[in-house]
Amino acid sequence: MIVKSLFLDNFRNHRDTKIDFSDRFNIIYGNNGQGKTNILEAIYLCASGRSHRTSKDNELVMFNSDYFNINTQVFNNGLERNINIKYLNNQKRQIKINEIPIKKIGSLMGNLYAVLFSPEDLSIIKQGPGERRRFVDITLSQIKPTYFYNLQSLSKILKQRNILLKNLYSKSELVDTIDIWNYKLAEVAANIIIERRKFSEALSEFAQNQHKYISNNSEIITFNYECNFNYQNSDNKTEIMNIYLKLLEKSLNRDISLGYTSIGPHRDDYDILINNKSLKLYGSQGQQRSSVLSIKIAEIELINKETGQYPILLLDDVMSELDENRQKYLMESIKYVQTFITCTNDSKFKNILNNSARYFLIESGS
Ligand code: ATP
Ligand code: MG
């Protein structure tokens, strides 16, 4: 997959930026605060429908303006595609693929696969379950639009069910209606659980292969799915639904007093282990960094396995954080991947990369 060009109009500090990219390496360099990450953010938005920094579109609009417009030209399986995202303050974002407006954001997925790697990705290891769910959800949504739709349904159903739980506190006669929501919830939950487990198994296998090299065969990394309830490792939808439905029934009184749904995939987690020990609790700084690198390279391989295509890779400020061995290792692993690298100093790359790279100096959003 290749991004040929990008046009930014009033996006963050880019008033009118047009870039034609190299098919291989793109070095986006310049001083701090000039608008390098903003470029990666725009590309990532076209791939995943989300910014990695904010969920609010109005923050992406240039100060004192009332809209932004992004245009990317993408080559996907030999086909050329134009992805256009437009946002006018306080209106819904409009997305067009080849000039045709899409009705659901899920239709954006699959037009451009991207893996983003930034220093903040350490939070996949260091922070709480929400960060790990977010990581898996974004990757899985890119690969499987149905997963994305299930996630959307999950959040809508939970909202409705939680409203009902709060009403039940004072109006117990509504209790019969909870069954309908439990059933809907169990159905999407089972779909999500099956996909999360499959994803974790595949990612774990790829990461293990990667990590062997980085650690000189001394470390085994595992990425385990930790479902919020014991689903008995079933991969049968009806079975998982039945287990979950029973638990929902059992916890109803507690849920009513809490005013929210206390059990379910919205509280799932993933356990990342090195040699069977929690990486979060026992891993050194270096082990944690190397593990994120293994997981990110695994993500590239997994997208390739699932879709038959290599994603593009966005490296935001990570090269300077990796030692030389790991930099070399990363470069070797991304032979087939169009790569975008932001950094403050381009001179180092001039030595590593040959003329397959293009260099872009960014100053004040230009
Ligand atoms: P660093 O090297 O520090 O990571 P960078 O070049 O990656 O810097 P970006 O994060 O891309 O910097 O851009 C930051 C700049 O964009 C800041 O100067 C910020 O004020 C500006 N900026 C952010 N949002 C907006 C916006 N909505 N409108 C205008 N400017 C914005
Ligand atoms: Mg930056």
Side-chain angles (χ1 to χ4, degrees), residues 140-154:
L140 251 174
S141 296
Q142 282 197 58
I143 308 172
K144 295 206 161 135
T146 50
Y147 180 82
F148 177 75
Y149 293 128
N150 276 313
L151 276 185
Q152 281 188 323
S153 304
L154 176 71

Side-chain angles (χ1 to χ4, degrees), residues 69-83:
N69 192 6
I70 309 173
N71 250 305
T72 46
Q73 208 65 35
V74 173
F75 273 113
N76 174 345
N77 254 346
L79 293 174
E80 193 173 326
R81 260 173 233 184
N82 179 276
I83 303 172

Side-chain angles (χ1 to χ4, degrees), residues 12-13 32-38 53 59 61-63:
R12 295 266 194 201
N13 68 342
N32 294 133
Q34 300 303 306
K36 304 182 295 293
T37 301
N38 294 343
R53 300 200 280 198
E59 284 177 20
V61 172
M62 179 175 261
F63 302 146

Side-chain angles (χ1 to χ4, degrees), residues 295-361:
I295 289 171
K296 285 287 157 176
I297 298 174
E299 193 186 342
I300 296 174
E301 296 298 334
L302 197 140
I303 291 177
N304 177 250
K305 180 189 155 217
E306 290 290 329
T307 68
Q309 303 206 56
Y310 274 102
I312 60 161
L313 176 64
L314 307 166
L315 297 174
D316 193 13
D317 269 340
V318 285
M319 287 312 258
S320 56
E321 301 247 328
L322 299 173
D323 62 29
E324 255 173 43
N325 261 341
R326 292 197 188 105
Q327 281 184 13
K328 213 177 103 212
Y329 174 74
L330 175 62
M331 286 302 188
E332 277 166 16
S333 322
I334 55 174
K335 285 197 185 107
Y336 309 107
V337 180
Q338 187 192 24
T339 303
F340 301 78
I341 297 173
T342 66
C343 55
T344 46
N345 186 342
D346 65 317
S347 59
K348 200 163 72 187
F349 294 102
K350 293 216 157 111
N351 302 329
I352 319 176
L353 305 173
N354 50 27
N355 46 18
S356 58
R358 266 187 212 169
Y359 296 81
F360 304 94
L361 170 64

Side-chain angles (χ1 to χ4, degrees), residues 8-16 57-69 87-90:
L8 300 177
D9 175 8
N10 278 356
F11 181 85
R12 295 266 194 201
N13 68 342
H14 291 268
R15 184 174 301 286
D16 181 16
D57 277 355
N58 57 6
E59 284 177 20
L60 304 173
V61 172
M62 179 175 261
F63 302 146
N64 301 321
S65 173
D66 60 358
Y67 75 95
F68 73 73
N69 192 6
Y87 172 80
L88 192 62
N89 265 355
N90 307 320

